[in-house]
Amino acid sequence: MTAPSRNPSLLIGVAIVIALIGTAILGPILFRVDPLAIDLANTLASPSLAHPFGCDALGRDVLARVLWGARLSLSISAAVVALSLIVGSLIGGAAALSGGRIDNLVMRGVDIVLAFPGILLAIALAAILGPGLLDLVIALTAMGWTGYARIVRGEVLTLREREYVLAAEALGARQSRILFRHLLPGIAGPLAVQATFGIGGIIGAEAALSFLGLGAMPPTPSWGNMLDAGRAFLLVAPHLTTAPGIAIGASILGFNLLGDGIAQAVGHRT
Amino acid sequence: MGAVRKPVLVRMMIARMRRCAWLLTLTMIALTSCTGAHRSPDTIQVDIEGSPISTDPRFTTDILSSRINELVFDAMVRIDRNGQFVARLAESYERPTPTELVFHLRHDVHFSDGRPLTARDVKFTFDSILAPETGTPKRAGLSHLKSVSTPDDYTVVMTTDGPYAPALEFAMQTIVPDGTPLPARSSAIGPPGAGPFRMASFVRDESIVLERNPYFPAPANAPSTILFKVVPDPTVRALELTEGVSDFSENNIQPDVLPYLSKQPHLAISKSPGSSYRYLAFNFRDPYLRDVRVRRAIAYSIDRASIINSMMRGAARAATGLLAPENWAYDGNLPIYNYDPAKARQLLDEAGYPAGPDGMRRLRFVYKTTPEQSSLAQALQAMFKRVGITLEIRSNEFATFYSDIQKGNFDLTSLNWVGTNDPNHYYMIFDSKMTPPHGGFNRGYYTNPEMDRLVETGARTLDLSEREQIYAQVQRLAAEDLPYVSLWWDDTVVVMNRELHGFTPYPNGSLISLATLTLQGPGAAEPSE
């Protein structure tokens, strides 16, 4: 463990992520403007007191949409990472514990999935499943679970040979006790790092899919579809793309710094 | 199911990948723009949204193909900007009997390869379209044309299967040389034509180059070459105009960007009344939409004035019907549905769809659209919600969207009609027999015996004032019974480099006057508004 003062990544990362989560939870409660309410008198309005981030092509408040987009982005990322973590850990753990041919078979399967560029796989799946939030979560999970499977398998294989695990086994501890008492705490650190980076990556991937029209459907505000809709007005209303663009950039930066910080703190190489 | 859906998905993915590619192009233009691009002095660049579907005028039914083919090919008659027929290849024409039209061709016309144009070429063009093995969608449009005969080299006689009022429109078909084979590839350069230009090159999804037809007189100082460049992204088109890369654009710049372009000293913008008609179509196979009170409620719930003023920056006129005020058969004395949500709610209550506790009713419709039109869809969705109607938007790229519409797979949709001239178009869109599998455009399966009687009589009546009365009734019936809700007529919006002069905008958006455009240094006469 290093002292937090010598770990600026962790400090900045925590600050950004807390701010982000706070914004997502409190933002729509404090800034009570309907993100779906169109107001054609205000189309493409520049930022003002009433509309701090201006209005989009249908006169909807951009700030309200960015705030609601934060909720969507964070909840989708959290869902995808949780699902990937569970699926990946189960598959990786099972492979490591069974060993032999099953291990080999499962890990070659992981290699095949990894051979596809992740975002391309997600695009293909999203196109097949059709646009929609649930389909988006499935597509992104299909892209994300392999990392967790690899980490869990690798860590389980090394930890099982450690003296303290062998000692526990020699003392006659049950498999489940070894798993939860001795193996899991060892895997938690690397998994936390992977999951934190994962959230950042998924925020980007979700925005990419929504930008391509494969994610959240209009009128639901998401950062990705806001970028797509604002693209046509780059010349006359750059605030339409700047606001969600900064939101995406800041969140990915925040989660990456946090991931770095955690890695440093738990002494894990990334 | 998978097997059926796959091609659509692949198309969809390709379309989406392309959108990414355009964005890349955008960035690249932004980066390279400071170096500037200079065209050769007698070439003008015109940015277009996509490629024409065909370069052979026997096959062209889409707007882009027609726009470009008009510059390469000529027809016996054409429509001028006031909707009047003007003689082109024909020096005169007459109607000796109700079923016959006689055209006397000019003697001095040549195709761009030097061959003289005679009645044989005209007959060949029409016979080729009428031959079933040609397989052109244009054949359906000539279903009342019985035969084309050529008593001599410069006389053409068209015979219809009965008195047919819009018969003269047949003669607007542009002519290809006798013996022109059917196009082998869709990206082939078209046959030579008798229009002001000849096609020098065609690269699908990239560009088309037109050069002057040496046998067609060109004005002095006219550009010798027109480069049509395919630029699918509207922002890139606007940037290219700003940077002077492209010189001309018509009806493909977003209205919101016009104020920005008007600040560029080298660009002139002109807006003129157009005849392109945007409408909301209903599917009459939906039992709820069959109730005229529901259709009227929908009409009252649309705040057209706001959409036109804000989203379209005023570049449109609120429409009363298919025919624009410039059309000879136009009758504006019609019921108008101005925005009135209270009245809409009252009509829906009367129709038996009371509002629930959340203000919403038992009315839920699927609205099909394309990504380009999705902001209109979202505006309508919000307006319908105010009166308690739920609109579910399904947005697909054009090919999927259009095939859904042709199959009647929608509740509501919005499209536009471009280039309507003869009011007989009402027959094509509202006659109960003209549903898509039968060659017409009645995609909503609208059925009204009175409408059928009127549009069928209108097609057979030759007397102009009688026809005018018939179509006045058609326009009234359409406005009362609402097979369409009329939205607006788009203006013709031209953005052009100030060095170009003499372009005449057409209400139907025709680019024919690119042929008479001249190049002059800055400071010459201002373009007309």
Side-chain angles (χ1 to χ4, degrees):
Chain A
M1 279 277 186
T2 47
S5 59
R6 287 171 59 194
N7 193 346
S9 297
L10 189 68
L11 282 181
I12 303 173
V14 165
I16 295 180
V17 169
I18 288 179
L20 195 68
I21 295 174
T23 309
I25 295 172
L26 297 176
I29 298 171
L30 297 178
F31 187 73
R32 304 180 69 91
V33 172
D34 182 357
L36 303 183
I38 70 163
D39 173 11
L40 294 182
N42 264 321
T43 49
L44 302 184
S46 301
S48 63
L49 267 180
H51 305 285
F53 288 7
C55 291
D56 72 1
L58 292 167
R60 295 176 297 203
D61 186 273
V62 173
L63 176 58
R65 292 179 70 74
V66 169
L67 293 176
W68 282 90
R71 277 195 179 181
L72 184 92
S73 228
L74 285 181
S75 39
I76 285 192
S77 309
V80 169
V81 167
L83 215 60
S84 306
L85 188 79
I86 294 169
V87 172
S89 306
L90 285 179
I91 292 179
L97 292 176
S98 356
R101 287 174 77 166
I102 297 181
D103 181 29
N104 225 330
L105 207 69
V106 171
M107 292 327 283
R108 292 302 78 75
V110 169
D111 287 344
I112 291 174
V113 177
L114 276 173
F116 289 101
I119 191 75
L120 210 60
L121 183 71
I123 289 176
L125 268 178
I128 291 166
L129 295 169
L133 292 184
L134 186 65
D135 304 310
L136 187 68
V137 169
I138 295 173
L140 291 173
T141 304
M143 159 187 137
W145 66 275
T146 47
Y148 302 96
R150 278 199 150 183
I151 289 178
V152 169
R153 174 183 174 271
E155 292 292 330
V156 169
L157 285 183
T158 24
L159 291 180
R160 268 182 70 177
E161 304 302 321
R162 293 278 176 87
E163 283 86 354
Y164 71 93
V165 177
L166 292 175
E169 250 175 41
L171 286 173
R174 287 188 312 274
Q175 277 285 339
S176 57
R177 188 185 160 83
I178 293 176
L179 188 67
F180 289 106
R181 202 53 204 267
H182 301 292
L183 295 183
L184 264 187
I187 306 172
L191 275 185
V193 174
Q194 170 81 5
T196 316
F197 280 120
I199 292 184
I202 297 297
I203 289 176
E206 185 272 329
L209 290 187
S210 292
F211 176 83
L212 295 175
L214 293 166
M217 289 310 282
T220 312
S222 98
W223 293 341
N225 68 24
M226 288 174 75
L227 274 185
D228 182 33
R231 193 165 58 99
F233 306 99
L234 270 178
L235 288 177
V236 285
H239 58 271
L240 297 193
T241 38
T242 318
I246 289 176
I248 295 172
S251 357
I252 295 179
L253 180 72
F255 278 102
N256 279 1
L257 286 175
L258 182 63
D260 262 345
I262 295 178
Q264 220 177 316
V266 300
H268 179 80
R269 299 177 310 275
T270 51
Chain B
M1 179 173 161
V4 182
R5 278 186 70 185
K6 208 166 186 177
V8 173
L9 289 168
V10 172
R11 274 211 305 272
M12 204 164 101
M13 281 183 61
I14 292 173
R16 303 231 141 99
M17 306 275 180
R18 279 193 186 152
R19 289 169 72 187
C20 302
W22 304 336
L23 199 74
L24 257 178
T25 326
L26 178 83
T27 333
M28 275 155 59
I29 287 188
L31 291 174
T32 54
S33 59
C34 40
T35 61
H38 287 283
R39 58 190 157 85
S40 81
D42 56 353
T43 296
I44 61 165
Q45 179 176 324
V46 177
D47 283 357
I48 50 180
E49 309 93 292
S51 277
I53 290 172
S54 175
T55 54
D56 187 317
R58 292 171 291 180
F59 290 86
T60 53
T61 50
D62 63 303
I63 304 293
L64 265 173
S65 304
S66 323
R67 299 258 186 274
I68 289 168
N69 284 336
E70 260 188 321
L71 293 164
V72 176
F73 303 92
D74 213 344
M76 291 196 287
V77 299
R78 261 197 183 150
I79 298 275
D80 68 7
R81 62 185 303 229
N82 302 316
Q84 302 298 312
F85 284 100
V86 285
R88 299 282 313 172
L89 299 175
E91 52 190 12
S92 66
Y93 53 88
E94 70 242 3
R95 200 167 214 160
T97 71
T99 57
E100 267 184 326
L101 274 168
V102 179
F103 300 88
H104 304 284
L105 299 186
R106 279 161 48 198
H107 291 241
D108 58 346
V109 181
H110 290 82
F111 288 106
S112 56
D113 61 357
R115 275 182 279 176
L117 187 148
T118 67
R120 241 176 314 138
D121 304 301
V122 177
K123 181 174 167 52
F124 170 80
T125 304
F126 282 96
D127 287 351
S128 177
I129 292 171
L130 287 171
E133 60 271 22
T134 305
T136 162
K138 280 196 156 179
R139 184 165 175 250
L142 297 183
S143 59
H144 292 281
L145 178 62
K146 210 168 85 186
S147 68
V148 177
S149 58
T150 53
D152 64 59
D153 266 2
Y154 292 95
T155 309
V156 175
V157 181
M158 282 184 167
T159 313
T160 52
D161 59 3
Y164 186 63
L168 195 52
E169 289 204 333
F170 295 153
M172 289 165 66
Q173 168 62 43
T174 48
I175 303 302
V176 298
D178 184 12
T180 303
L182 296 179
R185 293 175 296 124
S186 63
S187 56
I189 290 183
F197 291 90
R198 62 179 194 87
M199 192 173 287
S201 88
F202 176 31
V203 183
R204 182 159 289 280
D205 294 328
E206 265 179 42
S207 66
I208 293 164
V209 176
L210 300 187
E211 285 170 0
R212 289 276 165 190
N213 171 0
Y215 298 91
F216 195 101
N221 277 334
S224 67
T225 308
I226 301 181
L227 165 66
F228 286 95
K229 190 171 143 205
V230 178
V231 181
D233 190 283
T235 307
V236 179
R237 289 196 291 270
L239 272 176
E240 291 211 335
L241 283 164
T242 311
E243 298 296 333
V245 177
S246 95
D247 306 284
F248 181 94
S249 135
E250 186 191 84
N251 294 346
N252 61 19
I253 292 293
Q254 277 172 307
D256 302 278
V257 183
L258 292 175
Y260 169 85
L261 292 180
S262 70
K263 285 191 211 121
Q264 310 299 322
H266 68 287
L267 293 176
I269 297 175
S270 86
K271 268 188 225 174
S272 52
S275 59
S276 166
Y277 167 68
R278 182 155 282 278
Y279 60 91
L280 182 75
F282 297 109
N283 193 337
F284 282 75
R285 289 192 286 191
D286 181 286
Y288 302 108
L289 291 174
R290 232 177 273 154
D291 187 334
V292 71
R293 289 169 298 190
V294 173
R295 301 199 294 277
R296 285 187 187 151
I298 286 176
Y300 280 121
S301 69
I302 301 172
D303 186 356
R304 282 190 303 179
S306 285
I307 296 180
I308 292 172
N309 289 332
S310 317
M311 287 171 64
M312 315 192 58
R313 307 275 150 173
R317 297 177 290 171
T320 51
L322 168 69
L323 305 177
E326 294 73 26
N327 192 290
W328 60 267
Y330 168 78
D331 184 351
N333 184 20
L334 299 172
I336 293 172
Y337 301 85
N338 285 322
Y339 178 54
D340 190 344
K343 197 154 185 177
R345 285 186 209 109
Q346 184 199 329
L347 279 165
L348 292 172
D349 288 340
E350 282 170 23
Y353 305 109
D358 59 347
M360 299 308 285
R361 300 164 199 270
R362 197 162 45 83
L363 291 170
R364 186 182 188 89
F365 301 116
V366 174
Y367 181 96
K368 293 277 171 85
T369 187
T370 57
E372 293 74 31
Q373 290 294 330
S374 79
S375 56
L376 171 61
Q378 292 181 52
L380 292 177
Q381 187 181 46
M383 287 170 184
F384 285 17
K385 197 177 163 203
R386 287 180 201 155
V387 301
I389 297 175
T390 309
L391 204 58
E392 199 182 305
I393 300 173
R394 304 257 174 88
S395 175
N396 285 108
E397 38 74 51
F398 189 79
T400 311
F401 163 75
Y402 195 69
S403 113
D404 274 352
I405 301 305
Q406 286 293 82
K407 283 185 217 141
N409 190 3
F410 65 96
D411 297 332
L412 288 169
T413 190
S414 170
L415 270 163
N416 55 349
W417 287 117
V418 181
T420 302
N421 199 55
D422 193 284
N424 185 52
H425 195 61
Y426 272 116
Y427 170 75
M428 302 298 286
I429 59 177
F430 291 155
D431 190 275
S432 62
K433 289 177 284 302
M434 285 291 109
T435 49
H438 306 104
F441 302 102
N442 184 356
R443 297 155 179 152
Y445 292 81
Y446 172 62
T447 308
N448 182 333
E450 175 64 4
M451 181 63 86
D452 286 4
R453 190 187 65 77
L454 286 169
V455 293
E456 285 163 27
T457 315
R460 287 192 308 268
T461 306
L462 298 186
D463 183 85
L464 210 59
S465 64
E466 258 180 75
R467 278 195 96 199
E468 210 172 334
Q469 279 174 19
I470 291 169
Y471 288 108
Q473 291 179 61
V474 170
Q475 288 168 78
R476 171 157 292 274
L477 184 57
E480 282 169 355
D481 206 26
L482 286 181
Y484 286 172
V485 175
S486 294
L487 297 177
W488 51 79
W489 299 295
D490 287 307
D491 285 349
T492 300
V493 178
V494 174
V495 183
M496 191 164 73
N497 193 310
R498 283 189 189 273
E499 289 175 28
L500 304 180
H501 293 279
F503 182 82
T504 314
Y506 275 53
N508 65 9
S510 164
L511 295 181
I512 188 66
S513 72
L514 281 181
T516 48
L517 207 63
T518 55
L519 282 166
Q520 281 160 33
E526 292 287 296
S528 58
E529 279 291 313

